[in-house]
Amino acid sequence: MTRADRRRALGQHFLADPVVAERIVDAVASTPADLVCEIGAGEGILTTFLAARAGHLVALEIDPPLYARLLRLKAAWPELDVQLADARTFPYESLRERWPAARGVLIVGNLPYSASKPILLRVWEARAALDQATLMLQWEVAERLVAPPGGKAYGILSVFWQTWADVVLLFRVPPTAFRPPPAVESAVVQATFRPAPRVPVEDPATFVRVVKAGFAQRRKTLANALRAGFPRLGAAGIAARLERAGLDGRRRAETLNLQEFARLAESFAGPEGA
């Protein structure tokens, strides 16, 4: 596979506008007391700006030729740690162990379009070890992270991230800021992870399973979607849990707010829940 083929497979569009790069780094607002992890360092336009401000910078890159190119930056930035790694599986939980003195652990990156969802889920899974994430995403994906209930953009990513983080959409980025220019607009989103979820979540595993089941078949009513996700409970068991949560099973998952998802998950808690 050629480099161009790998880039297309990952949906890579490299940021080429230094003004946008500086704007992202300004939003990150890292200090010499912070550890920054850059996802998809690519050609290094963000890397150099980040290295000038962070106390320690871990730059992840999956493409071997780009990784080799980034290694050359270490001559100017000795605090830069370049790693040949897949951001979809990287153990972000280990970052604080790498530099225990860090005041904050900050994630930043221009996420490849084709890999943005698994990267977002992996970062979200590591949220307890992180303080903030500033990410450039395809506009449609950025919309999902900040979407309110009731629309098509609202889904699993919306519920997960909004429950455990304060998420804001900072600004749009036009296709002309990239090389090659994508066919869509992008946006930069910043999430500040919360020490506790926004709504009561006693059993995160059950909460995750309930949310995934609710959105697995979006066109189905909540009762039918949950029945497919929890087949052992049957229609009567699902109806009992919906009643316990005070929810109408004829609704669809996209209409539930975070508090309602929390109540629903609580109704599934315990050994009899599944």
Side-chain angles (χ1 to χ4, degrees), residues 71 81 87 100 138 163 198 208:
L71 283 175
D81 177 9
Q138 183 176 343
T163 298
R198 188 180 305 278
V208 167

Side-chain angles (χ1 to χ4, degrees), residues 121-143:
L121 288 173
R122 178 78 276 275
V123 171
W124 174 81
E125 289 170 351
R127 62 193 178 276
L130 308 175
D131 294 287
Q132 186 185 85
T134 306
L135 304 169
M136 185 148 57
L137 304 159
Q138 183 176 343
W139 172 255
E140 288 77 5
V141 178
E143 274 190 307

Side-chain angles (χ1 to χ4, degrees), residues 4-143:
D5 289 336
R6 283 194 297 270
R7 186 180 64 202
R8 283 191 292 269
L10 291 170
Q12 287 179 301
H13 297 273
F14 299 113
L15 180 62
D17 188 332
V19 174
V20 174
E22 284 196 85
R23 193 173 178 188
I24 292 170
V25 174
D26 284 343
V28 175
S30 60
T31 73
D34 295 318
L35 167 63
V36 176
C37 177
E38 183 186 4
I39 294 174
E43 297 180 338
I45 187 170
L46 276 175
T47 312
T48 53
F49 285 118
L50 291 167
R53 300 196 188 188
H56 192 71
L57 174 62
V58 178
L60 310 181
E61 179 52 54
I62 195 173
D63 185 281
L66 289 173
Y67 164 75
R69 177 175 171 176
L70 289 163
L71 283 175
R72 300 172 195 157
L73 296 176
K74 286 183 65 66
W77 308 105
E79 70 279 8
L80 173 62
D81 177 9
V82 183
Q83 297 200 21
L84 185 63
D86 188 338
R88 295 169 293 189
T89 57
F90 184 77
Y92 299 97
E93 295 88 346
S94 69
L95 287 170
R96 198 173 290 275
E97 299 170 9
R98 295 169 184 267
W99 205 45
R103 181 195 66 176
V105 177
L106 315 176
I107 304 295
V108 60
N110 171 26
L111 302 196
Y113 289 167
S114 63
S116 60
K117 184 173 181 180
I119 293 174
L120 285 169
L121 288 173
R122 178 78 276 275
V123 171
W124 174 81
E125 289 170 351
R127 62 193 178 276
L130 308 175
D131 294 287
Q132 186 185 85
T134 306
L135 304 169
M136 185 148 57
L137 304 159
Q138 183 176 343
W139 172 255
E140 288 77 5
V141 178
E143 274 190 307

Side-chain angles (χ1 to χ4, degrees), residues 192-223:
T192 303
F193 294 105
R194 302 170 62 92
R198 188 180 305 278
V199 293
V201 179
E202 294 185 9
D203 183 353
T206 298
F207 183 88
V208 167
R209 187 177 175 190
V210 166
V211 172
K212 285 184 175 180
F215 284 106
Q217 302 179 63
R218 294 183 66 108
R219 294 185 180 182
K220 287 192 172 184
T221 64
L222 191 58

Side-chain angles (χ1 to χ4, degrees), residues 211-261:
V211 172
K212 285 184 175 180
F215 284 106
Q217 302 179 63
R218 294 183 66 108
R219 294 185 180 182
K220 287 192 172 184
T221 64
L222 191 58
N224 287 336
L226 292 171
R227 185 175 176 182
F230 294 84
R232 292 175 56 189
L233 293 178
I238 295 298
R241 282 153 181 79
L242 285 164
E243 183 177 2
R244 191 185 307 169
L247 295 172
D248 185 343
R250 294 171 294 183
R251 292 173 63 183
R252 289 180 168 79
E254 66 188 37
T255 70
L256 270 63
N257 60 34
L258 302 183
Q259 185 67 52
E260 289 172 321
F261 269 117

